[in-house]
Amino acid sequence: MSDEGDLLQEEKVVHGVYMPRGYLELIPNPRDNEVNHIRATCFNSDIVLMPELSTFRVLPWAERTARVICDTFTVTGEPLLTSPRYIAKRQLNQLQDSGFSLLSAFIYDFCIFGVPEIINSKTISFPATSLLNNHDQPFMQELVDGLYHTGANVESFSSSTRPGQMEICFLPEFGISSADNAFTLRTGVKEVARKYNYIASFFIETGFCNSGILSHSLWDVGGKKNMFCNSSGIEQLTVTGKKWLAGLLKHSAALSCLMAPAVSCRKRYSKESKDLKDSVPTTWGYNDNSCAFNIKCHGEKGTRIENKLGSATANPYLVLAATVAAGLDGLHSSDEVLAGPDDSTDLYQSKPSEIPLKLEDALVALEEDQCLREALGETFIRYFVAMKKYELENEETDAERNKFLEYFI
């Protein structure tokens, strides 16, 4: 590269890259009164992408290509209030100010489809054969090796319950890294799949979304002690852990809106129920994979909570941010009463938690949740709700499915 080119790259590193704001934020119909406040935030202006150089990685699956994750700012230097990564970092800072840190990892299901075929003028994608067959080993090996070289360390991968469906689990990391790893997977798996003539999707051909689980534990600010682990050796949550869980349960309705942000995502909440209901109870338990919040005390990782509300289509930064916000409220709130001593499994809730089955009802729950509104920011909540209402009014199931299959990142 020439000296002039070096200077140009250095300028972009120092001063960022300018781009139209509309590339990152979409605006609904301007005649919609619900989004008039959004227009006031200057959607026609430029924003600045500032690279976080610690995330610079050469991409093994693309020639002469590297990736760096950027944070978004206005041209006057203020953070973009609708940026999920900014919101997540802000919540992690709040957690640190409270004397804690978060160790977390995402567990994703995704599907591998064969090359689309045209049948009766419709595009049909057939699931690939169950992976781990000999001819599919190179695909998974390149994906796992590639993720490793981008800093996203995979703990395990395996075939899941359906043909062509895979589960991949990352090693837990402190801070924002777990969401960065999830973001890397969501783009990387699509790019590697195309090299092998596959299409990777976080959407299942039956109309359900794949799961996206956030496994997490609360630690002291120095990362030395797991605050969920009971020192007596009993496999139960500590009082701190129970308070954190109480916060998750309390805000589960609003959390579900961010973690299952499309109509299809919410089908999984009621797949075990034959009754036509508006909501289902928010469940929790010890070593029970059927629960929305599954507490695992076994293994070398120590006690952790799996937040299983999420679908694989949810934004990982929002999943992380909302989980921290709800957990922090549980730590600081006095309206959730814990029953029994440290070795008790009981948890008293003043009001039983419910998960709305309809996205419309979940949006109402999010709008009415003052804690999450304050934590995630009024600007973001209003924008998110306006966009989801617009999608509900305009999106059709087939169009939504095609979006998830090929384009959703």
Side-chain angles (χ1 to χ4, degrees):
M1 184 178 291
S2 64
D3 291 342
E4 182 178 347
D6 289 340
L7 289 174
L8 179 61
Q9 296 303 319
E10 183 178 346
E11 178 183 348
K12 293 183 183 298
V13 169
V14 175
H15 300 290
V17 177
Y18 293 86
M19 65 183 297
R21 185 168 184 166
Y23 285 1
L24 295 184
E25 295 176 330
L26 299 176
I27 185 168
N29 191 330
R31 292 174 295 181
D32 189 344
N33 291 330
E34 289 189 37
V35 294
N36 281 344
H37 67 280
I38 297 178
R39 294 191 63 79
T41 60
C42 302
F43 268 76
N44 295 322
S45 63
D46 282 347
I47 57 172
V48 186
L49 301 182
M50 292 297 299
E52 187 170 308
L53 294 183
S54 63
T55 66
F56 181 91
R57 298 287 189 278
V58 175
L59 294 181
W61 51 73
E63 292 185 8
R64 302 184 64 186
T65 304
R67 185 253 15 222
V68 62
I69 297 176
C70 297
D71 289 317
T72 50
F73 296 86
T74 66
V75 293
T76 54
E78 293 87 13
L80 200 65
L81 299 181
T82 54
S83 165
R85 193 168 191 264
Y86 164 71
I87 294 171
K89 291 173 79 171
R90 187 175 63 192
Q91 283 306 299
L92 290 170
N93 287 337
Q94 290 283 338
L95 188 64
Q96 186 174 22
D97 291 342
S98 298
F100 301 103
S101 59
L102 193 78
L103 183 69
S104 62
F106 281 86
I107 304 168
Y108 276 123
D109 284 346
F110 60 90
C111 291
I112 302 298
F113 292 89
V115 176
E117 298 181 20
I118 305 298
I119 299 178
N120 296 331
S121 76
K122 291 187 177 181
T123 302
I124 305 295
S125 293
F126 294 99
T129 56
S130 296
L131 293 181
L132 299 183
N133 291 339
N134 289 335
H135 65 280
D136 291 310
Q137 282 282 7
F139 163 71
M140 284 306 300
Q141 198 61 56
E142 181 170 352
L143 176 62
V144 172
D145 288 346
L147 290 169
Y148 172 78
H149 284 98
T150 61
N153 294 319
V154 174
E155 181 179 53
S156 63
F157 69 90
S158 61
S159 296
S160 195
T161 56
R162 299 172 181 270
Q165 188 181 31
M166 300 296 300
E167 180 185 271
I168 193 163
C169 176
F170 290 101
L171 285 171
E173 297 193 38
F174 285 101
I176 198 73
S177 295
S178 62
D180 286 344
N181 292 344
F183 174 78
T184 301
L185 168 70
R186 289 154 67 92
T187 54
V189 68
K190 292 176 178 287
E191 294 170 0
V192 176
R194 289 186 182 184
K195 292 179 62 176
Y196 290 84
N197 225 16
Y198 291 142
I199 290 177
S201 174
F202 295 97
F203 200 68
I204 302 176
E205 75 280 1
T206 56
F208 288 92
C209 290
N210 282 286
S211 65
I213 301 170
L214 178 63
S215 177
H216 66 283
S217 53
L218 193 66
W219 292 63
D220 67 301
V221 75
K224 303 295 184 183
K225 181 181 179 182
N226 185 339
M227 306 304 293
F228 288 172
C229 278
N230 198 312
S231 58
S232 63
I234 299 175
E235 291 193 344
Q236 308 294 353
L237 278 175
T238 60
V239 169
T240 298
K242 291 178 183 178
K243 289 183 176 181
W244 183 273
L245 175 62
L248 298 180
L249 292 167
K250 175 182 176 182
H251 298 286
S252 58
L255 285 174
S256 75
C257 186
L258 298 163
M259 298 183 183
V263 173
S264 299
C265 300
R266 310 191 71 79
K267 294 179 181 179
R268 53 195 298 272
Y269 291 152
S270 59
K271 64 181 180 180
E272 302 297 335
S273 174
K274 296 181 180 179
D275 299 329
L276 296 177
K277 300 179 180 179
D278 292 329
S279 63
V280 293
T282 309
T283 55
W284 69 277
Y286 288 91
N287 194 25
D288 187 343
N289 291 317
S290 68
C291 291
F293 299 107
N294 183 21
I295 304 160
K296 292 191 173 182
C297 302
H298 54 276
E300 69 281 358
K301 296 179 183 177
T303 305
R304 58 210 181 273
I305 298 176
E306 289 185 346
N307 182 348
K308 305 186 74 170
L309 289 175
S311 76
T313 55
N315 186 300
Y317 297 109
L318 295 181
V319 172
L320 189 69
T323 298
V324 171
L328 267 176
D329 185 57
L331 293 179
H332 297 154
S333 179
S334 59
D335 61 354
E336 295 295 338
V337 181
L338 298 170
D342 213 21
D343 59 354
S344 171
T345 61
D346 295 330
L347 185 67
Y348 171 76
Q349 289 180 270
S350 56
K351 182 180 179 182
S353 303
E354 296 277 331
I355 301 173
L357 296 182
K358 294 181 180 179
L359 181 57
E360 296 93 326
D361 295 336
L363 287 169
V364 172
L366 180 61
E367 288 184 288
E368 294 177 350
D369 194 307
Q370 294 302 317
C371 170
L372 289 188
R373 287 185 75 101
E374 181 178 346
L376 305 184
E378 188 74 20
T379 299
F380 168 78
I381 293 295
R382 295 178 70 182
Y383 175 79
F384 181 88
V385 170
M387 287 301 305
K388 289 302 165 185
K389 287 182 178 179
Y390 179 78
E391 290 177 6
L392 284 171
E393 293 172 359
N394 294 276
E395 290 267 331
E396 296 181 359
T397 302
D398 287 343
E400 181 184 57
R401 173 179 173 176
N402 289 337
K403 177 182 69 173
F404 284 138
L405 178 63
E406 179 65 8
Y407 299 110
F408 198 103
I409 295 178

